[in-house]
Amino acid sequence: GAGVSQSPSNKVTEKGKDVELRCDPISGHTALYWYRQRLGQGLEFLIYFQGNSAPDKSGLPSDRFSAERTGESVSTLTIQRTQQEDSAVYLCASSSPLNRAGAGLETQYFGPGTRLLVL
Amino acid sequence: EDQVTQSPEALRLQEGESSSLNCSYTVSGLRGLFWYRQDPGKGPEFLFTLYSAGEEKEKERLKATLTKKESFLHITAPKPEDSATYLCAVQAWGGAGTASKLTFGTGTRLQVTL
């Protein structure tokens, strides 16, 4: 596709339920990132995938959070036993190591986000 | 730990009134400084990447500059459609396998009125 896509765009869930968020990166982008944006706060890094390398999970806030990516395609972020503090916008970004004119090396392009509300 | 501080938190300008947004940063080794624009309910939209002190980039009414400690986003003769939150982020050099994560500031909310 032309850009990064995410689904669902909005998700309302009850405390304690599991949720799964999906990200489709830009075709050909080998790197994929998940960030969280809480109201009034900056984007927080969660996890990074680069090709077939082991993901960098250093930003995941607890073991309730996990993510998977198959090859260089779709990624899913799963939050188990959701808590009210998990309410946020979850943003996905992808990048390519190729130097593209006008963009610079490894510029991250973001999707529209999934707005998660935990009641 | 890498840190980014943006000021002011909010800025209200009249159409045509030029101003600058500030991004102060501390990073172990700067790989790149990024500016994004974010409209309500949308993901950040890439604007510029700056790599070294003294570098400048322009796009329409926006110009980004970089020093060793801060970056400025200059807005010349803004229009109402420039209203958005402007985000600054840094990316540090790391060893092989280190994530190229971005560390973001909290943004400057810009409102341009007629």
Side-chain angles (χ1 to χ4, degrees):
Chain A
V4 177
S5 60
Q6 294 185 245
S7 61
S9 53
N10 293 280
K11 177 72 176 178
V12 181
T13 190
E14 293 179 347
K15 178 181 173 181
K17 299 281 180 114
D18 298 351
V19 295
E20 192 172 277
L21 313 180
R22 177 188 168 108
C23 172
D24 279 276
I26 293 172
S27 178
H29 279 193
T30 58
L32 186 148
Y33 309 77
W34 284 97
Y35 292 85
R36 177 172 69 177
Q37 187 174 32
R38 289 169 156 166
L39 192 65
Q41 298 186 22
L43 278 74
E44 304 169 75
F45 167 76
L46 296 177
I47 188 169
Y48 160 70
F49 296 91
Q50 171 59 61
N52 294 318
S53 301
D56 184 324
K57 306 178 182 179
S58 61
L60 295 179
S62 77
D63 58 9
R64 296 186 295 105
F65 288 71
S66 63
E68 292 183 349
R69 186 184 188 197
T70 304
E72 297 179 359
S73 61
V74 170
S75 175
T76 55
L77 177 69
T78 301
I79 309 173
Q80 296 179 309
R81 305 181 301 283
T82 53
Q83 303 294 313
Q84 289 182 332
E85 61 262 28
D86 299 334
S87 297
V89 177
Y90 290 83
L91 290 157
C92 174
S94 70
S95 70
S96 168
L98 298 176
N99 192 352
R100 296 178 182 275
L105 203 64
E106 294 191 31
T107 296
Q108 295 179 25
Y109 296 91
F110 284 82
T114 293
R115 280 145 197 82
L116 175 66
L117 177 62
V118 182
L119 300 176
Chain B
E1 186 178 332
D2 302 335
Q3 287 192 324
V4 177
T5 303
Q6 292 188 247
S7 61
E9 289 186 9
L11 181 62
R12 186 177 174 127
L13 300 173
Q14 287 197 321
E15 184 175 16
E17 180 186 2
S18 302
S19 188
S20 296
L21 314 183
N22 177 264
C23 171
S24 298
Y25 65 90
T26 56
V27 64
S28 51
L30 183 68
R31 186 175 193 179
L33 184 141
F34 297 77
W35 282 98
Y36 287 84
R37 167 190 171 131
Q38 187 173 28
D39 293 296
K42 297 190 176 181
E45 175 189 346
F46 170 75
L47 293 174
F48 303 108
T49 310
L50 301 167
Y51 293 102
S52 58
E55 189 175 1
E56 299 184 352
K57 288 195 176 168
E58 289 188 64
K59 179 181 180 180
E60 297 180 352
R61 295 176 294 282
L62 301 176
K63 182 169 83 170
T65 62
L66 181 65
T67 72
K68 290 185 177 180
K69 294 183 179 180
E70 57 192 352
S71 176
F72 291 94
L73 185 66
H74 307 278
I75 304 177
T76 302
K79 298 182 178 182
E81 53 262 42
D82 295 322
S83 297
T85 295
Y86 290 85
L87 302 174
C88 173
V90 296
Q91 187 179 59
W93 285 105
T98 302
S100 297
K101 69 174 184 179
L102 296 178
T103 300
F104 281 85
T106 53
T108 294
R109 292 189 315 278
L110 174 66
Q111 184 179 15
V112 182
T113 59
L114 293 171

